[in-house]
Short mmCIF file of all heavy atoms in Angstrom, two decimals:
data_model
loop_
_atom_site.label_atom_id
_atom_site.label_comp_id
_atom_site.label_asym_id
_atom_site.label_seq_id
_atom_site.Cartn_x
_atom_site.Cartn_y
_atom_site.Cartn_z
N VAL O 1 -5.42 66.46 27.28
CA VAL O 1 -6.80 66.12 26.99
C VAL O 1 -7.32 65.27 28.15
O VAL O 1 -6.83 64.17 28.38
CB VAL O 1 -6.93 65.33 25.67
CG1 VAL O 1 -8.38 65.07 25.34
CG2 VAL O 1 -6.24 66.11 24.54
N PRO O 2 -8.29 65.76 28.91
CA PRO O 2 -8.74 65.03 30.09
C PRO O 2 -9.43 63.73 29.72
O PRO O 2 -9.87 63.52 28.61
CB PRO O 2 -9.73 66.03 30.75
CG PRO O 2 -10.25 66.84 29.62
CD PRO O 2 -9.08 66.98 28.66
N PRO O 3 -9.57 62.82 30.70
CA PRO O 3 -10.18 61.52 30.43
C PRO O 3 -11.67 61.61 30.10
O PRO O 3 -12.21 60.77 29.42
CB PRO O 3 -9.95 60.72 31.71
CG PRO O 3 -9.69 61.76 32.75
CD PRO O 3 -9.03 62.92 32.08
N GLY O 4 -12.34 62.64 30.61
CA GLY O 4 -13.76 62.87 30.30
C GLY O 4 -13.91 63.95 29.25
O GLY O 4 -12.93 64.59 28.86
N ALA O 5 -15.12 64.18 28.79
CA ALA O 5 -15.37 65.24 27.82
C ALA O 5 -15.02 66.59 28.43
O ALA O 5 -15.46 66.88 29.56
CB ALA O 5 -16.84 65.20 27.42
N PRO O 6 -14.23 67.39 27.76
CA PRO O 6 -13.83 68.67 28.32
C PRO O 6 -15.03 69.59 28.55
O PRO O 6 -15.87 69.77 27.65
CB PRO O 6 -12.90 69.26 27.23
CG PRO O 6 -12.43 68.08 26.44
CD PRO O 6 -13.55 67.12 26.43
N LYS O 7 -15.10 70.13 29.73
CA LYS O 7 -16.15 71.08 30.06
C LYS O 7 -15.58 72.47 30.35
O LYS O 7 -16.33 73.42 30.64
CB LYS O 7 -16.96 70.58 31.29
CG LYS O 7 -17.68 69.27 31.02
CD LYS O 7 -18.46 68.82 32.24
CE LYS O 7 -19.16 67.49 31.97
NZ LYS O 7 -19.87 67.00 33.19
N ALA O 8 -14.25 72.57 30.32
CA ALA O 8 -13.59 73.85 30.50
C ALA O 8 -12.21 73.72 29.83
O ALA O 8 -11.67 72.63 29.67
CB ALA O 8 -13.42 74.17 31.97
N VAL O 9 -11.66 74.85 29.44
CA VAL O 9 -10.33 74.85 28.80
C VAL O 9 -9.53 75.99 29.37
O VAL O 9 -10.02 77.10 29.59
CB VAL O 9 -10.44 74.95 27.26
CG1 VAL O 9 -11.16 76.23 26.84
CG2 VAL O 9 -9.08 74.85 26.59
N VAL O 10 -8.24 75.69 29.65
CA VAL O 10 -7.30 76.71 30.14
C VAL O 10 -6.21 76.84 29.09
O VAL O 10 -5.48 75.88 28.80
CB VAL O 10 -6.69 76.30 31.48
CG1 VAL O 10 -5.70 77.35 31.96
CG2 VAL O 10 -7.75 76.05 32.53
N PHE O 11 -6.05 78.03 28.52
CA PHE O 11 -4.98 78.32 27.60
C PHE O 11 -3.81 78.86 28.44
O PHE O 11 -3.97 79.80 29.23
CB PHE O 11 -5.41 79.35 26.58
CG PHE O 11 -6.39 78.82 25.57
CD1 PHE O 11 -7.77 78.86 25.82
CD2 PHE O 11 -5.96 78.22 24.39
CE1 PHE O 11 -8.67 78.36 24.91
CE2 PHE O 11 -6.89 77.69 23.49
CZ PHE O 11 -8.22 77.77 23.74
N ALA O 12 -2.61 78.27 28.26
CA ALA O 12 -1.50 78.57 29.18
C ALA O 12 -0.25 78.98 28.43
O ALA O 12 0.13 78.34 27.44
CB ALA O 12 -1.21 77.36 30.07
N GLY O 13 0.42 79.98 28.95
CA GLY O 13 1.77 80.32 28.51
C GLY O 13 2.76 79.37 29.14
O GLY O 13 2.44 78.67 30.12
N ASP O 14 3.97 79.30 28.58
CA ASP O 14 4.98 78.33 29.04
C ASP O 14 4.38 76.94 29.09
O ASP O 14 4.53 76.17 30.04
CB ASP O 14 5.56 78.72 30.40
CG ASP O 14 6.36 80.03 30.34
OD1 ASP O 14 7.00 80.27 29.31
OD2 ASP O 14 6.36 80.76 31.33
N GLY O 15 3.67 76.59 28.01
CA GLY O 15 2.88 75.38 27.97
C GLY O 15 3.66 74.09 28.00
O GLY O 15 3.14 73.03 28.30
N GLN O 16 5.00 74.17 27.70
CA GLN O 16 5.81 72.95 27.79
C GLN O 16 5.87 72.43 29.20
O GLN O 16 6.13 71.24 29.43
CB GLN O 16 7.22 73.22 27.25
CG GLN O 16 8.06 74.17 28.07
CD GLN O 16 7.86 75.62 27.71
OE1 GLN O 16 6.82 76.03 27.21
NE2 GLN O 16 8.91 76.43 27.96
N VAL O 17 5.60 73.28 30.20
CA VAL O 17 5.55 72.89 31.60
C VAL O 17 4.12 72.67 32.05
O VAL O 17 3.77 71.61 32.59
CB VAL O 17 6.24 73.97 32.48
CG1 VAL O 17 6.09 73.61 33.95
CG2 VAL O 17 7.69 74.12 32.10
N VAL O 18 3.27 73.66 31.83
CA VAL O 18 1.92 73.66 32.40
C VAL O 18 1.06 72.52 31.88
O VAL O 18 0.23 71.94 32.59
CB VAL O 18 1.24 75.01 32.17
CG1 VAL O 18 -0.16 75.03 32.79
CG2 VAL O 18 2.10 76.13 32.74
N SER O 19 1.25 72.15 30.58
CA SER O 19 0.43 71.10 30.04
C SER O 19 0.59 69.77 30.75
O SER O 19 -0.29 68.90 30.66
CB SER O 19 0.76 70.91 28.52
OG SER O 19 2.16 70.66 28.38
N HIS O 20 1.70 69.58 31.50
CA HIS O 20 1.95 68.34 32.20
C HIS O 20 1.28 68.32 33.58
O HIS O 20 1.49 67.37 34.34
CB HIS O 20 3.45 68.08 32.31
CG HIS O 20 4.08 67.79 30.99
ND1 HIS O 20 4.29 66.50 30.54
CD2 HIS O 20 4.55 68.61 30.00
CE1 HIS O 20 4.86 66.54 29.33
NE2 HIS O 20 5.02 67.82 29.02
N TRP O 21 0.56 69.37 33.91
CA TRP O 21 -0.09 69.43 35.21
C TRP O 21 -1.48 68.77 35.25
O TRP O 21 -2.19 68.85 36.24
CB TRP O 21 -0.21 70.87 35.69
CG TRP O 21 1.12 71.53 35.94
CD1 TRP O 21 2.34 70.97 35.93
CD2 TRP O 21 1.34 72.91 36.26
NE1 TRP O 21 3.33 71.86 36.20
CE2 TRP O 21 2.74 73.09 36.42
CE3 TRP O 21 0.50 74.03 36.44
CZ2 TRP O 21 3.30 74.33 36.73
CZ3 TRP O 21 1.06 75.24 36.73
CH2 TRP O 21 2.43 75.40 36.89
N GLY O 22 -1.83 68.11 34.16
CA GLY O 22 -3.11 67.40 34.15
C GLY O 22 -3.23 66.38 35.25
O GLY O 22 -4.33 66.17 35.80
N ALA O 23 -2.12 65.71 35.56
CA ALA O 23 -2.16 64.71 36.64
C ALA O 23 -2.55 65.33 37.97
O ALA O 23 -3.21 64.68 38.79
CB ALA O 23 -0.80 64.03 36.75
N PHE O 24 -2.15 66.59 38.18
CA PHE O 24 -2.49 67.25 39.43
C PHE O 24 -3.98 67.60 39.47
O PHE O 24 -4.60 67.57 40.53
CB PHE O 24 -1.64 68.52 39.61
CG PHE O 24 -0.20 68.20 39.87
CD1 PHE O 24 0.70 68.05 38.82
CD2 PHE O 24 0.29 68.04 41.16
CE1 PHE O 24 2.02 67.74 39.04
CE2 PHE O 24 1.61 67.74 41.42
CZ PHE O 24 2.49 67.59 40.36
N LEU O 25 -4.54 67.95 38.31
CA LEU O 25 -5.98 68.17 38.24
C LEU O 25 -6.73 66.86 38.57
O LEU O 25 -7.71 66.88 39.36
CB LEU O 25 -6.40 68.66 36.85
CG LEU O 25 -5.91 70.02 36.42
CD1 LEU O 25 -6.41 70.33 34.99
CD2 LEU O 25 -6.43 71.10 37.37
N GLU O 26 -6.29 65.77 37.99
CA GLU O 26 -6.93 64.49 38.23
C GLU O 26 -6.85 64.10 39.69
O GLU O 26 -7.83 63.61 40.26
CB GLU O 26 -6.33 63.43 37.33
CG GLU O 26 -6.61 63.66 35.85
CD GLU O 26 -5.92 62.61 34.97
OE1 GLU O 26 -5.57 61.55 35.48
OE2 GLU O 26 -5.74 62.91 33.75
N ALA O 27 -5.68 64.28 40.30
CA ALA O 27 -5.51 63.92 41.71
C ALA O 27 -6.41 64.76 42.61
O ALA O 27 -6.83 64.32 43.68
CB ALA O 27 -4.04 64.10 42.11
N ALA O 28 -6.73 65.98 42.16
CA ALA O 28 -7.59 66.86 42.97
C ALA O 28 -9.06 66.59 42.67
O ALA O 28 -9.91 67.28 43.25
CB ALA O 28 -7.24 68.33 42.66
#
């Protein structure tokens, strides 16, 4: 769940891994 109001959503397979990539979105 992003720090701001969600304006887009990505549904992901193998989510036990991909869900932890939020920090990479924030860094970008």
